[in-house]
Amino acid sequence: MSVPLRTVQLNEANAFLKKYPEVLYVDLLIADMNGVVRGKRIERTSLHKVYEKGINLPASLFALDINGSTVESTGLGLDIGDSDRICYPIPGTLSIEPWQKRPTAQLLMTMHELEGEPFFADPREVLANVVRKFDDLGLTICAAFELEFYLIDQDNVNGRPQSPRSPVSGKRPMSTQVYLIDDLDEYVDCLQDILEGAKEQGIPADAIVKESAPAQFEVNLHHVSDPIKACDYAVLLKRLVKNIAYDHEMDTTFMAKPYPGQAGNGLHVHISILDKEGKNIFASEDPEQNAALRHAIGGVLETLPAQMAFLCPNVNSYRRFGAQFYVPNSPSWGIDNRTVAVRVPTGSADAVRIEHRVAGADANPYLLMASVLAGVHHGLTNQIEPGAPVEGNSYEQNEQSLPNNLRDALRELDDSEVMAKYIDPMYIDVFVACKESELAEFENSISDLEYNWYLHTV
């Protein structure tokens, strides 16, 4: 006889509180459309009630723009009386917040209708709907993220970021020095605390590497056989990185392009697929000859233009693109080639996988994963061929053809019949409405450069 889920969850809460009797508060977290974590803080005595009955939050939480204002054109605000939905805990996400002075825990939540059905506008549910299509085929998705970020000074210069002074040398880094171990040593306490904090929270972060700009780093997450959980880990990792940096009197940014002339922040995702026997369907000594791999890539490349709004959801996202920064701008693929959109890393035959290299670190991980998996499923079920892999420099062989601005990307998404088969058109409408609202506000602003160029010259 199986144990009811609610009982299992209450047992999880009991075991946690017993293990951490010092915990005073619990942060209840839910990631909005932009991947920004929102929610409530409760006292430990209320944790059991949360597991039993959930908490109420307004549906408009998923209609917030990047500034936290409700976009009324989504229909999720005043049109429905700004009414509540109910949020329930996600099992296995209750953990300590190692940066807090007052012992505090955290718990991820997901939104449901009052009758119990998952709420359509929760990005986690958007992804779950796509994953269910693979479940129907008896396939299991293994996934992992690579997340890039900058450490920045807590003091900006005229509103613009600058690299933090090294706690070791007292100097601000100036050079690229990709993969340089000495640069890891410059910020070793902060970076090591990130890895140790991830371990404490059960986040499978297994490495940090120096990236392609001053004080830029990448955290590698280990693959897990649950793409939704992989996204949970990415959301929690961003929060961990930000708060550990604060503890070390530094700030961070996951902005896609914080510095002109320097590399942007990417969010690469690795995907492999297991059959019912647990075998990787992409496994091959010669990846180019594996039909399942080719078809999956073919579907991703065909849908890539329509995915762009989810992969690069902000105005700033499109400033990241450029050949010198290894950000692909055309639907291309290749074997162990970092100039293409979809790379197939070399290694053992069993480890063959897809590395999707387009998205920025400002993307919502759930929506990124949902869009990429939609392309994979589309390719597998329709046996779409991707064409020949690119050898050498893709930027010299393929013209830029992906949307290079948010407005065009939103049009591609809104017009895509394929994406509408995988992602609820109601959700696409909500997403597009939010982003069009942000875009309109951006275009109504007047930049310093416009004043410099035009105020006294025209």
Side-chain angles (χ1 to χ4, degrees), residues 341-387:
V342 176
R343 171 178 174 251
V344 179
T346 55
S348 67
D350 290 342
V352 173
R353 61 194 183 277
I354 288 172
E355 180 190 5
H356 196 287
R357 298 176 53 82
V358 180
D362 56 337
N364 180 311
Y366 302 106
L367 300 180
L368 158 60
M369 186 73 77
S371 56
V372 173
L373 291 180
V376 170
H377 188 277
H378 174 64
L380 289 174
T381 54
N382 292 280
Q383 299 185 350
I384 297 171
E385 291 290 344

Side-chain angles (χ1 to χ4, degrees), residues 124 127-129 131 143 224 226-233 366 369:
R124 203 173 187 274
L127 172 57
N129 283 331
V131 172
V224 292
D226 181 343
I228 302 176
K229 187 172 288 293
C231 294
D232 292 341
Y233 288 142
Y366 302 106
M369 186 73 77

Side-chain angles (χ1 to χ4, degrees), residues 165 271 318:
R165 293 190 183 278
I271 293 172
Y318 297 86

Side-chain angles (χ1 to χ4, degrees), residues 16-53:
F16 184 87
L17 293 175
K18 183 177 180 180
K19 183 177 180 180
Y20 298 101
E22 73 279 10
V23 163
L24 300 174
Y25 307 102
V26 182
D27 289 339
L28 308 177
L29 312 175
I30 193 162
D32 72 6
M33 176 183 292
N34 289 293
V36 176
V37 174
R38 305 185 187 276
K40 293 182 178 181
R41 176 168 293 171
I42 62 170
E43 294 185 343
R44 65 175 284 139
T45 53
S46 299
L47 184 60
H48 288 98
K49 182 180 178 182
V50 170
Y51 273 92
E52 290 174 344
K53 299 182 179 180

Side-chain angles (χ1 to χ4, degrees), residues 28-40 55-72 74-78 80 82-87 109-111 119 121-124 364 427 430 434:
L28 308 177
L29 312 175
I30 193 162
D32 72 6
M33 176 183 292
N34 289 293
V36 176
V37 174
R38 305 185 187 276
K40 293 182 178 181
I55 61 164
N56 288 343
L57 287 171
S60 59
L61 185 146
F62 294 116
L64 300 179
D65 64 16
I66 195 63
N67 293 312
S69 299
T70 301
V71 177
E72 292 296 341
T74 61
L76 295 180
L78 297 178
I80 59 172
D82 203 19
S83 59
D84 280 342
R85 298 298 185 271
I86 190 164
C87 300
M109 312 290 286
T110 185
M111 186 174 284
F119 185 54
D122 185 338
R124 203 173 187 274
N364 180 311
Y427 183 75
V430 168
C434 278

Side-chain angles (χ1 to χ4, degrees), residues 289-356:
Q289 300 306 312
N290 183 300
L293 178 65
R294 291 199 318 273
H295 296 156
I297 293 172
V300 170
L301 298 185
E302 184 174 283
T303 57
L304 191 50
Q307 296 174 13
M308 287 295 287
F310 287 140
L311 309 179
C312 302
N314 301 305
V315 174
N316 176 261
S317 305
Y318 297 86
R319 303 190 189 281
R320 176 173 150 262
F321 288 78
Q324 71 272 35
F325 299 122
Y326 290 93
V327 184
N329 55 19
S330 65
S332 54
W333 78 286
I335 310 295
D336 195 20
N337 187 337
R338 287 185 169 84
T339 71
V340 297
V342 176
R343 171 178 174 251
V344 179
T346 55
S348 67
D350 290 342
V352 173
R353 61 194 183 277
I354 288 172
E355 180 190 5
H356 196 287

Side-chain angles (χ1 to χ4, degrees), residues 103-317:
T104 305
Q106 66 181 27
L107 178 63
L108 270 182
M109 312 290 286
T110 185
M111 186 174 284
H112 294 252
E113 298 285 0
L114 298 179
E115 295 78 16
E117 289 297 312
F119 185 54
F120 83 97
D122 185 338
R124 203 173 187 274
E125 176 60 17
V126 173
L127 172 57
N129 283 331
V130 179
V131 172
R132 280 191 276 271
K133 294 182 181 295
F134 288 86
D135 294 339
D136 293 341
L137 298 177
L139 298 175
T140 299
I141 300 153
C142 291
F145 285 102
E146 297 172 348
L147 179 63
E148 294 174 346
F149 65 94
Y150 278 91
L151 290 175
I152 59 175
D153 202 296
Q154 289 185 330
D155 294 323
N156 294 332
V157 179
N158 298 322
R160 294 175 181 263
Q162 61 178 339
S163 298
R165 293 190 183 278
S166 161
V168 175
S169 67
K171 299 177 181 178
R172 299 189 195 278
M174 301 298 292
S175 59
T176 298
Q177 302 295 0
V178 64
Y179 301 127
L180 185 68
I181 293 294
D182 287 350
D183 275 18
L184 295 178
D185 290 338
E186 294 285 347
Y187 301 97
V188 63
D189 288 340
C190 177
L191 299 177
Q192 205 58 40
D193 281 354
I194 289 171
L195 287 179
E196 291 175 6
K199 183 177 181 180
E200 191 171 359
Q201 291 194 319
I203 301 171
D206 59 8
I208 292 182
V209 298
K210 174 67 178 64
E211 266 299 331
S212 302
Q216 187 190 34
F217 301 93
E218 176 185 275
V219 182
N220 300 146
L221 288 164
H222 198 266
H223 74 273
V224 292
S225 56
D226 181 343
I228 302 176
K229 187 172 288 293
C231 294
D232 292 341
Y233 288 142
V235 167
L236 295 176
L237 178 63
K238 287 180 74 171
R239 186 166 188 260
L240 174 73
V241 169
K242 290 179 180 182
N243 284 286
I244 293 295
Y246 293 148
D247 265 1
H248 290 268
E249 298 182 346
M250 290 182 283
D251 205 342
T252 54
T253 183
F254 295 89
M255 185 177 178
K257 187 74 169 182
Y259 297 108
Q262 296 286 1
N265 287 319
L267 181 60
H268 297 172
V269 59
H270 293 248
I271 293 172
S272 56
I273 299 178
L274 309 181
D275 63 18
K276 293 178 181 178
E277 285 72 44
K279 296 179 181 178
N280 179 9
I281 68 171
F282 296 157
S284 178
E285 295 290 347
D286 183 359
E288 194 174 350
Q289 300 306 312
N290 183 300
L293 178 65
R294 291 199 318 273
H295 296 156
I297 293 172
V300 170
L301 298 185
E302 184 174 283
T303 57
L304 191 50
Q307 296 174 13
M308 287 295 287
F310 287 140
L311 309 179
C312 302
N314 301 305
V315 174
N316 176 261
S317 305

